[in-house]
Amino acid sequence: MTEEALFEQVYASYGPALYRFCLLQMKNPSDAEDVLQEVLIKRLYRAPSFQSAEHERRWLFRVALNQCRDEWKHRRRAELPLEAAAVLAMPEEDRRLVEQVAALPEKLRTVLHLHYYEGYCLEEIAALLGVTVSAVKMRMKRGREALRTRLEEEP
C-alpha cells in the first residue's frame, strides 16, 4: 500500500474521532489540527505492526494523548472557544456540555471523553493511559461529580 493510500485509509477511519479528542484536549482548532497531523505522520513512519484495527485505534489515541501533553508543556490553553465547540458538529444544546467537559482537568476530561465519546470500556482506558482500572473508575467518578457541579453552578 502506498503512503498516500495508507494516509487516506487511516484518516477516513480515525481522523474525525482523533480530531475531536485533540480538540477537547488542546481547546483550539488549529492546535488540534497540528497535533492530529503529527499523529498521522507518526502513524505513517513510526508505527509498529498492528494485530487488529482496535490495536491500531488504541495506539493512535495513545500517541494523540502524548502529543497533546507535549504541546501542553509549551503552552497552556484555558477555554474552549464557542466556535471550536461548533466544529464538533454537535447539536446546539450539547455545546454547553462540551465546553464544561473541556474545562475539566486533563485527567478527568480524558477518561470522560474516551468512555462517553469514543466508547472505550474502563479496562481499555486503563491500558491506554497506563493506569489501573481503579484509577480510571475514580477519575470517572470525580469527572462526573465535577461536571455535575459545574453544570449546576452555571446560570
Side-chain angles (χ1 to χ4, degrees):
M1 181 180 292
T2 67
E3 288 179 0
E4 186 176 309
L6 177 61
F7 177 85
E8 289 177 10
Q9 177 189 6
V10 170
Y11 187 79
S13 298
Y14 308 109
L18 284 168
Y19 177 73
R20 282 190 309 269
F21 180 75
C22 293
L23 181 59
L24 186 67
Q25 299 301 319
M26 299 307 297
K27 302 178 185 179
N28 179 293
S30 61
D31 291 342
E33 290 168 3
D34 290 345
V35 169
L36 179 58
Q37 180 178 349
E38 289 297 318
V39 170
L40 294 175
I41 288 170
K42 286 179 181 179
R43 170 58 184 96
L44 285 176
Y45 299 111
R46 297 187 208 154
S49 297
F50 297 110
Q51 300 165 354
S52 66
E54 187 55 36
H55 180 224
E56 179 181 28
R57 186 173 190 260
R58 281 194 307 268
W59 185 88
L60 287 166
F61 273 95
R62 182 65 191 174
V63 170
L65 180 60
N66 288 339
Q67 191 67 37
C68 288
R69 286 178 175 166
D70 288 346
E71 290 294 320
W72 294 330
K73 291 176 187 174
H74 297 102
R75 62 187 149 221
R76 295 279 182 191
R77 303 288 185 209
E79 297 180 15
L80 177 66
L82 190 57
E83 63 272 9
V87 173
L88 293 173
M90 295 189 151
E92 185 76 28
E93 61 272 6
D94 289 346
R95 283 188 185 176
R96 188 178 100 179
L97 179 62
V98 170
E99 290 173 342
Q100 294 301 327
V101 170
L104 294 174
E106 180 261 328
K107 289 181 178 181
L108 303 181
R109 76 173 173 259
T110 298
V111 296
L112 290 174
H113 180 84
L114 289 173
H115 183 69
Y116 291 110
Y117 291 96
E118 303 304 331
Y120 281 107
C121 71
L122 300 179
E123 292 79 11
E124 292 170 324
I125 296 170
L128 184 68
L129 299 178
V131 298
T132 65
V133 173
S134 296
V136 172
K137 287 179 182 178
M138 185 55 68
R139 289 177 188 182
M140 291 283 293
K141 178 182 181 293
R142 289 178 179 160
R144 286 190 297 258
E145 288 172 354
L147 187 58
R148 185 179 303 112
T149 300
R150 292 180 69 83
L151 291 171
E152 288 172 354
E153 290 174 354
E154 200 175 63

